[in-house]
Amino acid sequence: MPFVNIKLTTGVSTEQKQELIAGVTDLLVRVLNKNPASTHVVIEEIDPENWGIRGESVARLRQRKEPGVSGS
Amino acid sequence: MPFVNIKLTTGVSTEQKQELIAGVTDLLVRVLNKNPASTHVVIEEIDPENWGIRGESVARLRQRKEPGVSGS
Amino acid sequence: MPFVNIKLTTGVSTEQKQELIAGVTDLLVRVLNKNPASTHVVIEEIDPENWGIRGESVARLRQRKEPGVSGS
Amino acid sequence: MPFVNIKLTTGVSTEQKQELIAGVTDLLVRVLNKNPASTHVVIEEIDPENWGIRGESVARLRQRKEPGVSGS
Amino acid sequence: MPFVNIKLTTGVSTEQKQELIAGVTDLLVRVLNKNPASTHVVIEEIDPENWGIRGESVARLRQRKEPGVSGS
Amino acid sequence: MPFVNIKLTTGVSTEQKQELIAGVTDLLVRVLNKNPASTHVVIEEIDPENWGIRGESVARLRQRKEPGVSGS
């Protein structure tokens, strides 16, 4: 039953996505005894221009090399 | 008022999307007497690499031709 | 795989919810040949005070008996 | 804490996205005294073919130049 | 068309919700020339026990009077 | 940046929610080197009557003691 939606900015590798999917599923099995066959994990990659924090897009903050917004 | 969000993996044709939009709207009119003019249906197509089930991405499961993950 | 999220205002009966779940699932089976066992439908009922349209909450619009916002 | 998700159809410029991010953040600071550093705004641009209203996709309604569906 | 979803922790008054609905709608009219009649704003209030930041629930952080997590 | 939304049926204890929040945050730190201070995890508990699978609500499936739908 659980449906887990992970929104983060673009720049995640195929291997990292697989690690996130496996890690979230294992966590739900361990903590809630969930069935992996009905545990859905969906990763949504957002363009840094479309993600705002501190009133500005992450794209602009990164252009100015502001701390705390590198990576995805 | 109703807002319906349909998440599924990529590979849906234009005609199929139109069928889903019409079908969901008709259902909400029939069951809840909703106004089609304020019934929103948004379809989000997810890359199979970004959708996890059974602890693995659908992309990997399809590569191994696992049952139950074909199509979108 | 499909995950369908239906947001609407409160006031939906148990039977109506069951009709929506069955109707959406049948639609996805018919249009996309989906497997009902991995087709999830989640209904979220929103307080009319928390749903805004025309710049006002549905609760206020209904108090003034504005057209087009009755029901759920 | 607030997480604001704005779904609209494609066709929004970089400047408009920045205006939306700044405007929503300012609103949450003014009304709820929120901290901009923990106020997230995510804009999701939807293909007009994937957004349905009145039982039809926005793409089809725009092709027929129907009123009320221009822009994003 | 725009659908705006605002998730924040519980503790928002009726007046504040109305201000958020009006403010977001005005912003979308001003920046994107949107039609208020098809601009939906949905506020979802989350129990502080169900919202995690810094690896802990907001409820626990507030119990310890940690900075930056007061209010909603 | 990451925003993780976990939807599951009601019946999760306070301790289990805290475990999920901590576990998801640790996973994002380990896999993507994320900053816990900007990693949000929101748990949404859904009434079994509002969650459909196999074309029926989980509430009905549980009443008939169908396999694979116990717990949350």
Side-chain angles (χ1 to χ4, degrees), chain B residues 1-8 12 16 19-20 23-24 27-28 30-32 34 51 58 62 69 71-72, chain C residues 1-9 12 16 19-20 23-24 27-28 30-32 34 51 58 69 71-72:
Chain B
M1 228 83 73
F3 183 83
V4 181
N5 181 251
I6 304 174
K7 285 190 191 346
L8 32 74
V12 186
Q16 288 171 324
E19 268 192 84
L20 292 178
V24 165
L27 178 67
L28 286 158
R30 181 165 52 78
V31 176
L32 294 176
K34 282 304 171 190
W51 195 303
V58 168
R62 283 182 183 166
V69 284
S72 58
Chain C
M1 228 83 69
F3 182 83
V4 181
N5 180 253
I6 304 174
K7 285 190 186 359
L8 33 71
T9 47
V12 185
Q16 289 171 323
E19 266 193 87
L20 293 177
V24 166
L27 178 67
L28 287 158
R30 181 165 52 79
V31 176
L32 294 176
K34 283 304 170 188
W51 194 302
V58 168
V69 285
S72 57

Side-chain angles (χ1 to χ4, degrees), chain A residues 53-70:
Chain A
I53 179 87
R54 306 174 206 160
E56 281 190 84
S57 74
V58 167
R60 270 187 18 173
L61 293 168
R62 284 182 182 165
Q63 267 163 12
R64 293 205 312 264
K65 306 216 184 316
E66 294 280 347
V69 285
S70 65

Side-chain angles (χ1 to χ4, degrees), chain B residues 17-27 41, chain C residues 27, chain D residues 55-57:
Chain B
K17 291 178 201 174
Q18 179 53 49
E19 268 192 84
L20 292 178
I21 289 168
V24 165
T25 305
D26 293 345
L27 178 67
V41 181
Chain C
L27 178 67
Chain D
E56 281 190 87
S57 74

Side-chain angles (χ1 to χ4, degrees), chain A residues 16-72:
Chain A
Q16 289 172 321
K17 291 179 201 175
Q18 179 53 49
E19 266 192 270
L20 293 178
I21 290 168
V24 166
T25 306
D26 292 347
L27 177 68
L28 287 159
V29 171
R30 181 166 51 78
V31 176
L32 295 176
N33 192 28
K34 283 303 172 189
N35 176 356
S38 59
T39 298
H40 293 252
V41 181
V42 168
I43 298 166
E44 292 183 69
E45 300 173 76
I46 308 291
D47 185 315
E49 195 179 83
N50 289 34
W51 195 303
I53 179 87
R54 306 174 206 160
E56 281 190 84
S57 74
V58 167
R60 270 187 18 173
L61 293 168
R62 284 182 182 165
Q63 267 163 12
R64 293 205 312 264
K65 306 216 184 316
E66 294 280 347
V69 285
S70 65
S72 57

Side-chain angles (χ1 to χ4, degrees), chain C:
Chain C
M1 228 83 69
F3 182 83
V4 181
N5 180 253
I6 304 174
K7 285 190 186 359
L8 33 71
T9 47
T10 49
V12 185
S13 72
T14 300
E15 293 69 30
Q16 289 171 323
K17 291 178 201 175
Q18 179 51 49
E19 266 193 87
L20 293 177
I21 289 168
V24 166
T25 305
D26 292 347
L27 178 67
L28 287 158
V29 171
R30 181 165 52 79
V31 176
L32 294 176
N33 193 28
K34 283 304 170 188
N35 176 357
S38 59
T39 298
H40 293 253
V41 181
V42 168
I43 299 166
E44 292 184 67
E45 301 174 75
I46 308 290
D47 185 316
E49 195 179 85
N50 288 36
W51 194 302
I53 180 86
R54 306 174 206 159
E56 280 191 85
S57 75
V58 168
R60 270 188 17 176
L61 293 168
R62 284 181 181 165
Q63 268 164 13
R64 294 205 310 264
K65 306 219 184 316
E66 295 279 349
V69 285
S70 64
S72 57

Side-chain angles (χ1 to χ4, degrees), chain E residues 16-68:
Chain E
Q16 290 172 322
K17 290 178 203 176
Q18 178 51 51
E19 267 192 86
L20 293 178
I21 289 168
V24 166
T25 305
D26 292 347
L27 177 67
L28 286 160
V29 171
R30 181 165 53 80
V31 176
L32 294 176
N33 193 28
K34 282 303 169 191
N35 177 355
S38 58
T39 298
H40 293 253
V41 181
V42 168
I43 299 166
E44 292 184 65
E45 300 173 75
I46 308 291
D47 185 315
E49 194 180 82
N50 287 34
W51 194 302
I53 179 85
R54 307 173 206 163
E56 280 191 86
S57 75
V58 167
R60 266 182 31 169
L61 293 168
R62 284 182 181 166
Q63 268 163 12
R64 293 206 310 268
K65 306 212 185 317
E66 295 279 347

